[in-house]
């Protein structure tokens, strides 16, 4: 469909909880791709598409022109991992033209100094990184601490999402150990925002069998 998502509800009621936003600020969103090849054990995105399916730049440009008419203060790029696309820079320039503050999903391994410098200079004010399950090692997060440092060096807010797997905190002792470790990571990384997902795994993911 060519219909942007904002046609499906009253955009004025789209109240996102994000740093610096006031109740009167308008927030909207856009997606420029679908799918993810990273195959994290909790994620259903690769079940729907284990490769990146990108929208044509021309379609993104058209949607940006439509969104600009709404004069939003913030815009969320909903892609699972926006900078995985080969043409993400061209798309970001189009989205910047809306004139809104941008936040998006990315993975730590793609938060290189050059990528973050480009994003920061083209309207990105916050990046959502998956801290995920702190008891697991994810390939995408091997550089997480350095990525967060780079983001803060460029004045970009850090939004960390994390996972609580109920099979790992099924006793008081395990729960206390887990949350102390989680708080330690927050103290190390100093995010401006966090989001907790108390896991209900999707059928077909590796975690479903557990």
């Amino acid at each position: 469909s060519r219909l942007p998502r904002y046609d499906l509800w009253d955009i004025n009621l789209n109240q996102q909880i994000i740093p610096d936003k006031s109740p009167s600020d308008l927030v909207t969103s856009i997606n420029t791709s679908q799918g993810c090849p990273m195959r994290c054990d909790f994620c259903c995105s690769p079940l729907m598409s284990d490769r990146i399916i990108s929208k044509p730049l021309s379609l993104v440009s058209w949607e940006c022109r439509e969104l600009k008419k709404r004069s939003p203060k913030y815009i969320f790029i909903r892609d699972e991992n926006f900078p995985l696309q080969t043409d993400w820079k061209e798309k970001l320039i189009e989205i910047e033209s809306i004139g809104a503050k941008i936040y998006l999903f990315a993975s730590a391994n793609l938060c290189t100094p050059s990528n973050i410098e480009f994003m920061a200079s083209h309207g990105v004010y916050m990046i959502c990184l998956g801290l995920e399950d702190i008891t697991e090692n994810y390939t995408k997060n091997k550089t997480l601490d350095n990525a967060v440092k780079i983001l803060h060096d460029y004045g970009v807010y850090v939004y960390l999402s994390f996972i609580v797997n109920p099979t790992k905190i099924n006793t008081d002792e395990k729960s206390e150990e887990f949350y102390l470790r989680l708080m330690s990571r927050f103290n190390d990384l100093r995010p401006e925002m966090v989001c907790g997902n108390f896991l209900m795994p999707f059928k077909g993911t590796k975690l479903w069998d557990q």
Side-chain angles (χ1 to χ4, degrees), residues 32-58:
T32 70
S33 71
Q34 297 177 7
C36 183
M38 289 194 169
R39 298 180 180 274
C40 295
D41 57 2
F42 59 87
C43 186
C44 64
S45 289
L47 300 177
M48 295 180 281
S49 178
D50 60 2
R51 63 187 180 88
I52 295 291
I53 303 173
S54 290
K55 279 185 180 178
L57 183 60
S58 59

Side-chain angles (χ1 to χ4, degrees), residues 41-42 133 138 163 165 199 201-202 204-210:
D41 57 2
F42 59 87
D133 182 345
Y138 296 93
I163 290 169
N165 185 338
L199 192 63
F202 292 95
T205 63
K206 293 179 182 178
L207 286 185
W208 173 264
D209 293 336
Q210 296 181 21

Side-chain angles (χ1 to χ4, degrees), residues 26-119:
L26 195 64
V27 182
T28 190
S29 65
I30 189 172
N31 83 292
T32 70
S33 71
Q34 297 177 7
C36 183
M38 289 194 169
R39 298 180 180 274
C40 295
D41 57 2
F42 59 87
C43 186
C44 64
S45 289
L47 300 177
M48 295 180 281
S49 178
D50 60 2
R51 63 187 180 88
I52 295 291
I53 303 173
S54 290
K55 279 185 180 178
L57 183 60
S58 59
L59 181 53
V60 173
S61 300
W62 172 81
E63 188 165 352
C64 287
R65 290 193 297 272
E66 293 297 309
L67 285 166
K68 188 172 183 178
K69 297 174 184 177
R70 305 280 182 140
S71 301
K73 181 73 175 290
Y74 297 90
I75 184 166
F76 175 41
I77 303 176
R78 301 190 314 272
D79 303 38
E80 284 91 338
N81 198 340
F82 178 65
L84 267 179
Q85 301 175 89
T86 57
D87 62 348
W88 70 267
K89 291 184 178 179
E90 290 85 353
K91 288 176 177 174
L92 182 59
I93 290 171
E94 291 295 322
I95 296 169
E96 181 191 17
S97 70
I98 295 169
K101 288 187 173 183
I102 300 164
Y103 63 110
L104 56 89
F105 284 124
S107 52
N109 63 313
L110 296 175
C111 289
T112 61
S114 60
N115 282 352
I116 297 308
E117 181 180 20
F118 188 89
M119 291 184 191

